[in-house]
Amino acid sequence: MTTLTIWDWEVEKYPLQVGVGVIIGGWTFVKLVNYFLQRSKLKSARVRKRAECKQAKQVLEDQIKQRNISKEVVEEITNLSLSELQSKLKDGTLDVLDVLHAYQAKALECDEKTNCIIEPFKEAEEWAASVKENVSKDSPLFGVPVSLKENYGVEGYDSVYGMSVLIGKPSHEDSVIGQVLRSQGAIPYVRTNVPQTMISWDCSNPVFGATKNPHDTTRTPGGSSGGECALLAGQGSILGFGSDIGGSLRIPSNMCGTYGFKPTVGRLSAKGTHGCTKGQQIVRAAYGPLARDVDGLVTAMKALLVPLMFKLDPTVNPLPFRTEVFEDNRKLKIGWYDNDGWFTPPPCMQRGVAIAKAKLEAMGHTLVPWKPPNATLGAELYVRAMFSDKCETINEMLRYDTLDVCFMIQYTMANIYWPLRRFLVFILHYLMPSLSTGLKAIAGCDSAYDFWNLAVAAEDYRKMVIEDWQSHDLDAVISPGFGCPAIPLKTPALATSAVSYTTIFNVLNFPAGSLPVTKVNAADTANMKDYPTIDLAHKTVKKGMVGAEGLPVNVQCITLPWHEEQCLRVMKDLETALKA
Ligand SMILES: CCCCCCCCCCCCCCCCCC(=O)NCCO
């Protein structure tokens, strides 16, 4: 009888061991093969998607060449402000198609420099023709080209937000905001890039690559609506739309020197938009406009707050734009702060607030020091809510995907094995307290009971901040636009703590807008020598400030929930004072 041997084992002697070994080996082999097959499937999907989008851009570029539109005309049209453009479209000085063609050409030029566009809409010409035929010239956005962040659903187009698994799964209908925009005469013409998962303030992903800042292409444009703001800052868009669950309308506005407005959740419709935190109801995403001036934001809000939106999405508050509140010229009491006590912003951000404060005072408003109490609790609640599912939704979507550098730190922190997490939380508490707080909070919730308690804690925090605000009798508050100006590409994940300046108003669900007030100057960078380097985030910002001269610096204006018009009014006052 022959003896079956594996290596030099006699199988008959160890049947159990061999059996278990074969099962484990076979299972591991099948798992590994499956893993590599799934990864290669996703890689092919990415390659295919990139090629399709490149091809769509190429087709548009060829059309632009054929149209023979001069560079001067493109500049002339794209340099007009929104109100100038609107009046020229209305009185017929400019034709809807010419305006569209100018913006298409300018958008491709911006894309060349910053990689801000995912793809143009193939139907843009058709939509423009339909606007000319069916929409009244008196409609607020008649003939205005608009850009959309990639997570706005558009029938027949994928919303991928850097997750390869979402490639080839197109939306079946347009978002409500998209539908209302088109009914008001707007023409969507391009969709813009975002970071993987959109839970990042950088703007890169393995499908479409990194978007760069038009002011300095070695730096981030911010995120997650980074493609939108890079395009606006390069004059490749006049009006864009994005989303904000932690600052995504305001952070890239601050990095690119553009204007962004986050309304109260439920003021504008979220129907037909996409994201990977849909089931998380403690901090919800708000949708809003991005523009080149405050008038652009106001025009967009007015155009959207109409009966059609309330009909298409009856879950939104049916409150039309209150022009009387926006135009009110009563002098206001405005709180200000330049350090939230959680993350120290560099001197340029504090100077931005000082400029805004002086300008608003010169307009007759009263400015008093105030900041949201307990910013550390605000940051903790934010991170726990965002990762309350222990990152499982994202883990599932990213299982076979390539992880982008913009999400790597969040992913790693969320997935650390619990004994190691406990150990690190304990050690870091003494070395880098804010990192320790973040690491503890990002562990999320252990049960539904835990989640309910988190919801109660967030509610109590909102109540406490509102009471404090009201006890100071404030109408509005101004703060730094973010924790820092644009820092080099790939470094934002190392400075995640800087998001406390924007995330707090998502936890609170207060309307907040961002507008440019100044630029980083040589004195700001020289003053960095005293900047604290207490943890990785501060160190990253300090390093990132080298060579930052000339970058935009924004401030935020904030009001209580549903007071959007008052928030925009403060922004308008500040813009007027700055331009005077
Ligand atoms: C606030 C304290 C941070 C401590 C570090 C812990 C890591 C937590 C990671 C949280 C990152 C949040 C970034 C948010 C950026 C903006 C996201 C956004 O608004 N997206 C729009 C989606 O529609």
Side-chain angles (χ1 to χ4, degrees), residues 30-48 50 164-165 167 196 206 395 397-404 408 411:
V30 169
K31 281 277 169 196
L32 272 175
V33 169
N34 180 53
Y35 177 78
F36 286 110
L37 273 178
Q38 298 296 339
R39 274 187 74 86
S40 105
K41 226 167 97 182
L42 291 186
K43 189 175 174 195
S44 312
R46 283 197 297 275
V47 171
R48 198 182 60 239
R50 259 197 303 272
S164 314
V165 74
I167 295 171
Q196 186 174 51
N395 284 351
M397 294 170 93
L398 288 177
R399 180 175 293 180
Y400 303 110
D401 211 342
T402 296
L403 201 56
D404 192 272
M408 221 170 261
Y411 179 88

Side-chain angles (χ1 to χ4, degrees), residues 245 276-285 382 384-389 451 454:
I245 201 172
C276 41
T277 51
K278 286 272 176 186
Q280 187 279 108
Q281 297 286 302
I282 296 177
V283 182
R284 284 155 62 201
Y382 179 77
R384 280 198 76 200
M386 290 295 284
F387 290 87
S388 49
D389 70 340
F451 185 73
L454 177 64

Side-chain angles (χ1 to χ4, degrees), residues 201-202 218 220 405-406 409 486-496 536-537 540-541 543-544:
W201 64 268
D202 203 348
T218 66
T220 181
V405 67
C406 76
I409 302 253
I487 56 174
L489 291 163
K490 297 190 180 169
T491 64
L494 302 172
T496 306
L536 182 63
T540 305
V541 168
K543 216 167 149 199

Side-chain angles (χ1 to χ4, degrees), residues 149 151 198-201 224 243-248 285 342 379 382-383 387 410 413 438 442 496-497 499:
K149 183 174 175 176
N151 65 331
M198 296 189 298
I199 312 299
S200 154
W201 64 268
S224 62
S243 57
D244 188 320
I245 201 172
S248 282
W342 159 268
Y382 179 77
V383 177
F387 290 87
Q410 297 90 305
M413 282 175 78
I442 208 170
T496 306
S497 301
V499 295

Side-chain angles (χ1 to χ4, degrees), residues 322-401:
R322 291 162 301 176
T323 305
E324 69 285 2
V325 178
F326 176 66
E327 288 178 355
D328 183 22
N329 53 20
R330 177 176 65 93
K331 299 300 170 209
L332 304 175
K333 187 171 174 193
I334 302 173
W336 68 272
Y337 67 98
D338 62 7
N339 188 336
D340 66 4
W342 159 268
F343 183 85
T344 306
C348 59
M349 303 310 298
Q350 300 186 320
R351 191 170 60 78
V353 174
I355 293 172
K357 174 177 174 286
K359 292 286 177 190
L360 289 167
E361 275 170 342
M363 288 196 103
H365 299 300
T366 304
L367 275 285
V368 294
W370 183 87
K371 67 178 166 194
N374 205 347
T376 302
L377 177 59
E380 212 178 317
L381 289 169
Y382 179 77
V383 177
R384 280 198 76 200
M386 290 295 284
F387 290 87
S388 49
D389 70 340
K390 297 192 167 292
C391 201
E392 276 184 29
T393 309
I394 290 176
N395 284 351
E396 185 58 32
M397 294 170 93
L398 288 177
R399 180 175 293 180
Y400 303 110
D401 211 342

